[in-house]
């Protein structure tokens, strides 16, 4: 079946280092991918997205890489800060519908001082 | 301020007692959606709506109802809540991309529901 999963449920990173959060997907028909950040007690917040016609997209301190060959998505956060502590979710659109997202289980990012 | 609001934020109820969780957005978004979030399962979509009077089932619609009588409101109704509906619920909204997809979703603050 279709699934979006994460390799690591928890990631600990030293403050100032770069973080890389990975995500695998299984639906070849998915053409839109999104990363969300969820801080404790809050709803998910959009970080960055990418469409399947791109391999890389950069935002402010964040970069998303898409490898369609191996169905892999990653989020890179540069110079990780304490405010980056959160659970990060990847999501893909349902290949049969652009109006449904399939969400991964999430990765918790912990920043060590 | 552009936002999605949900009420109540916290609710404890008993099995079988009908309840409604309201959701409202002030961004004139066509698309609205309800999710539940459970530990280890990420977000699962319950229902979504692409416009007024247009609603569709998500992945886990059983035990829930929705309505979309106005563009800004998308209430979630539990006619007869059961303990397995204890969860954290999020409402979200977005514009619809004219190319055929949805734009960035904006999420409400969440409603934590406990059904005893």
């Amino acid at each position: 079946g279709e699934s979006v999963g994460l390799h690591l449920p928890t990631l600990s990173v030293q403050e100032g280092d770069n973080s890389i959060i990975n995500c695998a997907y299984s639906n070849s028909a998915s053409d839109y991918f999104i990363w969300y950040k969820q801080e404790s007690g809050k709803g998910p917040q959009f970080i960055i997205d990418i469409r399947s016609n791109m391999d890389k997209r950069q935002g402010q301190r964040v970069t998303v890489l898409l490898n369609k060959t191996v169905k892999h998505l990653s989020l890179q956060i540069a110079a990780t800060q304490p405010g980056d502590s959160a659970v990060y979710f990847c999501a893909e659109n349902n290949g049969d519908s652009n109006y449904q997202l399939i969400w991964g289980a999430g990765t918790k990012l912990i920043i060590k001082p | 301020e552009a936002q999605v609001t949900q009420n109540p934020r916290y609710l404890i109820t008993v099995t079988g007692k009908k309840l409604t969780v309201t959701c409202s957005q002030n961004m004139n978004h066509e698309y609205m959606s309800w999710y539940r979030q459970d530990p280890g399962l990420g977000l699962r979509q319950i229902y979504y709506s692409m416009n007024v009077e247009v609603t569709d089932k998500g992945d886990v619609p059983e035990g829930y109802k929705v309505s979309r009588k106005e563009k800004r409101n998308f209430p979630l109704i539990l006619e007869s809540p059961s303990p397995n509906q204890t969860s954290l619920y999020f409402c979200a909204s977005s514009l619809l991309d004219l190319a055929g997809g949805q734009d960035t979703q904006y999420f409400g603050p969440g409603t934590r529901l406990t059904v005893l």
Side-chain angles (χ1 to χ4, degrees):
Chain A
E2 300 171 6
S3 66
V4 177
L6 297 173
H7 296 311
L8 296 172
T10 303
L11 178 65
S12 292
V13 177
Q14 201 73 37
E15 181 178 348
D17 288 352
N18 297 336
S19 302
I20 300 175
I21 302 172
N22 296 303
C23 181
Y25 65 95
S26 59
N27 187 353
S28 300
S30 296
D31 59 4
Y32 179 59
F33 305 87
I34 316 151
W35 282 99
Y36 280 87
K37 172 186 180 183
Q38 186 176 24
E39 295 174 276
S40 181
K42 296 182 179 179
Q45 182 180 17
F46 171 86
I47 301 173
I48 193 168
D49 59 1
I50 188 169
R51 296 205 177 266
S52 59
N53 60 353
M54 302 173 69
D55 298 322
K56 178 179 179 179
R57 191 169 187 211
Q58 288 184 288
Q60 188 177 14
R61 278 202 309 119
V62 295
T63 301
V64 56
L65 298 177
L66 176 62
N67 186 330
K68 295 179 286 294
T69 303
V70 295
K71 299 192 189 70
H72 185 267
L73 189 70
S74 69
L75 176 71
Q76 299 179 1
I77 305 173
T80 311
Q81 303 168 358
D84 295 328
S85 292
V87 177
Y88 290 81
F89 293 95
C90 64
E92 64 183 287
N93 68 331
N94 182 327
D96 295 326
S97 166
N98 280 324
Y99 306 112
Q100 284 187 274
L101 293 178
I102 302 170
W103 293 72
T107 292
K108 184 173 184 179
L109 180 63
I110 298 171
I111 312 304
K112 296 181 287 187
Chain B
E1 180 189 354
Q3 60 182 351
V4 179
T5 56
Q6 295 178 225
N7 281 293
R9 294 289 313 280
Y10 302 91
L11 179 60
I12 300 174
T13 189
V14 295
T15 299
K17 186 176 181 181
K18 181 179 178 180
L19 66 91
T20 299
V21 184
T22 64
C23 173
S24 184
Q25 49 93 7
N26 62 2
M27 296 170 278
N28 202 36
H29 286 168
E30 298 90 359
Y31 183 94
M32 297 187 76
S33 179
W34 275 103
Y35 295 90
R36 60 178 289 173
Q37 185 175 34
D38 301 290
L41 295 177
L43 279 85
R44 293 182 292 167
Q45 191 175 47
I46 303 171
Y47 270 94
Y48 64 99
S49 168
M50 292 198 286
N51 216 323
V52 176
E53 303 292 359
V54 180
T55 62
D56 282 291
K57 294 178 180 179
D59 299 316
V60 288
E62 295 77 21
Y64 304 94
K65 286 174 58 178
V66 292
S67 69
R68 188 87 183 274
K69 295 188 173 71
E70 305 164 284
K71 197 171 186 179
R72 64 183 292 126
N73 296 323
F74 190 46
L76 179 69
I77 303 153
L78 284 72
E79 294 272 5
S80 183
S82 62
N84 64 13
Q85 292 178 299
T86 292
S87 188
L88 180 58
Y89 292 86
F90 287 102
C91 180
S93 73
S94 73
L95 291 169
L96 280 180
D97 182 337
L98 292 177
Q102 59 176 262
D103 206 340
T104 304
Q105 288 193 49
Y106 293 84
F107 283 80
T111 294
R112 186 164 292 282
L113 172 66
T114 301
V115 183
L116 302 175

